[in-house]
Amino acid sequence: VLMDAFVLPFQLSFKRDYGEDAFDDVWFWVTTLCFTADIIVTFDTGLTVAGDDQEVITDHGVIARAYMRGWFSLDFVSTMPWSRIVDAFVGSDGAGPLLHVAKLAKMLKFLRIIRLMKMLRAKKIKDIWERLEIRIGSVTVIQAMYLVRVLLVIVAICHWNACIFWMIGRPDSIITDFLPDATRLSFERLPHWTTISRSYGIGQEEWSFAEKPMVEAYIFCFYWTLGVMRTMPAEVTPVNLAERTFVLCFMFFALSAFAVSVASLTQTYFKISERNRGFKDEMFALRMHM
């Protein structure tokens, strides 16, 4: 789920205009098989009853009924390869009467994003992390791992916003597929930060971010997001209402996220420094005693 949380947004945003390659096909079927296996295994996974005795229910009927009433519908909808099924019957380049069905196949790809909601019940990750801390035993190593975890959270925020900012800035994206035709055409006629002509100086050749290679566009969006978490970068500014609204909302979120991240990093650094200082004091006292 964590790996899909990085790969899937990139596929839905930056790789939209490039089509699916061998990696996309392999990743799609690997994740589909993994999530299908997870559904099957869940029917055979005991339920823990909250309480002091931590009773585990192993009755398959009770487990199945609880799962069917809970996460099964969400897991089933997000795991079934709906877009591939539609493509198999219609083809990805539908025309005429099949045009709306082909458009539906593109929209169904968005259902895969529901898989990421599995992270809401990823309590096992927390349990595994706590057991790992107990096994390590070293406070310094644990604090260093916590430092890495905070940095990974910042990377995840930058990655997700980079993908969303690219989709918001494109005249044609998976977001516009959900819009009515009149609204979509009106949105496409608006100026967008990805299509505005730019140049490196007077007399230089004009270019736009939409023409840049995929990797270069992603790196810029990642850099731009990290810059917004501190201040507004001067290279790109929003040029229509949708872009301004998104950037405004993200800046409010980034203000809090960046403050919390900096506070966590500072606290972890001081803990490591304080432990090293305490160790040196103890060693000095031991040398004086000897």
Side-chain angles (χ1 to χ4, degrees), residues 38 54 58 83 167 169 188 243 245 278 281 290:
D38 179 68
Q54 290 290 315
T58 57
S83 60
M167 287 190 287
E188 289 177 354
E243 294 175 5
T245 302
D281 292 341
M290 296 177 62

Side-chain angles (χ1 to χ4, degrees), residues 194-212:
T194 58
T195 57
I196 291 179
S197 297
R198 310 170 190 273
S199 66
Y200 293 112
I202 300 176
Q204 298 292 325
E205 183 180 358
E206 293 188 346
W207 55 273
S208 66
F209 280 102
E211 301 168 350
K212 292 293 183 180

